[in-house]
Amino acid sequence: MVNVIWLILLLSGILVAALNGNLPLVTSAAFDAVAYAVKVAIELIGVISLWLGLLKIAEKAGLVRLISKIVAPIASLLFPDVPRSHPAFFAIIMNLSANFLGLGNAATPFGLKAMEHLQELNPEKDTASPSMITFLALNTSCITLIPTLVISLRSQAGSADPAEIIGATVLATTCGTVFAIVFNSILKRKYFHKH
Amino acid sequence: MEIITEISRYVIPFLLFFIPLYGFIKKVPVFEAFVEGASEGIKVAIRILPFLVGMLVAIGIFRASGAFAMMAQFLEPACSFLGIPPEVLPLAVMRPLSGTGALGITAELIHNYGPDSFIGRLASIMQGSTDTTFYVLAVYFGSVGISKHRYALAVGLGADIVSFLASVFFCSLFFGN
């Protein structure tokens, strides 16, 4: 699926540019994107290092196991194939809380760590496990309580009340999250029924 | 709501204070443990770089070539049928693909129509209520070497569409069309 979408993005972009006589634009867009990708990765090195450092302290102090144990009763409902008190729960909780609070750059390191833990439990290493898909469904549809970027954009543009959109945003994103959880469990059942 | 904004502001300093202190109480050699963990950071960042390059190049070309604008135009009739203002359509299409791309469109809409206009508010709500699903899937799955995504994209994009339609609904409800 991703292969097909990637190919469509790439080929249709180049074709449209060629039809419009804008082929040089493709070259500059490609090189701009590459430079940007490296910039993002370099910036991530620092942030990821910081959070993985803290995570290691939390792990050695037993904090990770403690919190994983506390959330296990609820989390086991959503992630039935993750053993109780597994450290994956801690990374998942930290990722979702960071998203919830609008701390995007703290969310990524914990999200990648959660994927690593889920991959350890995954019997087929090249195929997404149901828990991974549930985690990503929660992650990408996750309720963000404070869309900080949007609020700062609005106040820069001279809004009378930059934060007035929070209520509607929370309601809209909640619809998405509820849908993701329901749709995920339907597709999961369907998928494993067939195979 | 203000309480939550305050919490967001203090949570990182709190974690930076509390986790090392807790570690120290539990007799963990805190600095050594921190460095041990942090040394993995560069490996993780390097591992996701190829996925970033692949995604960002394809999306960059798709956008710069005008193919993106064509796709938004193509979807317009369906949207006006559902009562969705066509101005926000490029945002809806861009949002799952690229966070910075979507933010650029949101900034543009807020600037052009005013932050307190219907379009400005709707763009703000859409930007805040959905995520860059496609990009997140590619990077997160890529980081652990998963190539078969099963039904993950269907769930993610389905949720995005629901959030998008809900944004239109709640924006009309709260702020009137």
Side-chain angles (χ1 to χ4, degrees):
Chain A
M1 186 70 164
V2 171
N3 288 322
V4 174
I5 295 179
W6 188 76
L7 199 66
I8 290 174
L9 288 174
L10 203 58
L11 299 188
S12 67
I14 296 169
L15 277 178
V16 170
L19 290 174
N20 291 338
N22 272 340
L23 267 183
L25 263 185
V26 171
T27 316
S28 63
F31 287 127
D32 285 352
V34 171
Y36 181 65
V38 173
K39 191 175 149 246
V40 171
I42 296 282
E43 279 171 4
L44 270 177
I45 293 176
V47 186
I48 294 178
S49 300
L50 173 64
W51 289 109
L52 289 184
L54 279 179
L55 190 61
K56 193 53 114 190
I57 298 177
E59 240 172 67
K60 293 203 165 171
L63 199 59
V64 170
R65 201 176 308 157
L66 185 73
I67 291 182
S68 298
K69 234 179 222 162
I70 293 172
V71 301
I74 307 166
S76 297
L77 291 177
L78 285 164
F79 303 97
D81 47 355
V82 177
R84 284 186 171 225
S85 81
H86 192 274
F89 284 142
F90 181 79
I92 291 172
I93 288 300
M94 291 301 281
N95 171 267
L96 295 181
S97 332
N99 269 328
F100 186 72
L101 295 169
L103 308 168
N105 60 2
T108 310
F110 289 116
L112 294 171
K113 195 78 194 172
M115 290 301 279
E116 237 177 78
H117 284 307
L118 294 177
Q119 179 71 331
E120 286 161 19
L121 299 167
N122 186 8
E124 293 169 82
K125 296 297 177 202
D126 65 335
T127 308
S129 70
S131 284
M132 286 176 174
I133 299 175
T134 307
F135 169 57
L136 287 182
L138 284 176
N139 176 300
T140 58
S141 70
C142 180
I143 299 169
T144 303
L145 219 38
I146 308 295
T148 39
L149 261 173
V150 174
I151 294 173
S152 67
L153 266 183
R154 290 171 58 76
S155 81
Q156 271 169 26
S159 168
D161 185 1
E164 68 181 358
I165 44 88
I166 288 179
T169 305
V170 169
L171 287 173
T173 183
T174 305
C175 290
T177 307
V178 170
F179 175 84
I181 293 171
V182 173
F183 194 41
N184 178 56
S185 66
I186 293 171
L187 286 184
K188 188 162 103 182
R189 208 162 305 155
K190 241 188 174 161
Y191 191 89
F192 288 98
H193 193 67
K194 248 194 276 174
H195 292 262
Chain B
M1 278 302 149
E2 264 172 34
I3 296 168
I4 292 152
T5 317
E6 287 297 300
I7 292 175
S8 301
R9 200 165 293 148
Y10 295 116
V11 66
I12 290 179
F14 170 77
L15 288 174
L16 288 173
F17 179 85
F18 174 73
I19 294 178
L21 180 67
Y22 187 86
F24 180 72
I25 293 169
K26 292 280 174 179
K27 300 196 171 59
V28 173
V30 280
F31 184 67
E32 285 159 36
F34 178 87
V35 172
E36 188 191 331
S39 65
E40 280 176 54
I42 192 158
K43 276 181 255 164
V44 176
I46 297 297
R47 208 163 59 212
I48 64 174
L49 180 64
F51 301 93
L52 284 171
V53 170
M55 284 319 292
L56 292 175
V57 165
I59 292 164
I61 290 175
F62 187 68
R63 234 188 128 190
S65 68
F68 169 70
M70 275 174 66
M71 182 177 166
Q73 223 170 29
F74 178 74
L75 289 170
E76 213 182 290
C79 278
S80 45
F81 178 73
L82 290 167
I84 299 162
E87 291 88 345
V88 298
L89 204 60
L91 177 59
V93 178
M94 182 56 82
R95 193 69 185 97
L97 293 175
S98 155
T100 45
L103 198 65
I105 297 176
T106 302
E108 209 173 82
L109 288 172
I110 288 176
H111 180 74
N112 285 344
Y113 293 90
D116 299 328
S117 65
F118 186 76
I119 301 283
R121 282 169 172 151
L122 179 55
S124 308
I125 295 168
M126 283 169 54
Q127 172 75 32
S129 65
T130 51
D131 205 345
T132 47
T133 302
F134 188 58
Y135 173 86
V136 168
L137 287 195
V139 172
Y140 275 38
F141 276 141
S143 75
V144 289
I146 299 278
S147 57
K148 293 173 189 149
H149 299 186
R150 287 179 168 160
Y151 50 94
L153 198 59
V155 174
L157 291 182
D160 281 342
I161 292 171
V162 169
S163 296
F164 168 53
L165 293 176
S167 300
V168 178
F169 175 77
F170 287 115
C171 191
S172 310
L173 192 72
F174 280 77
F175 304 110
N177 194 345

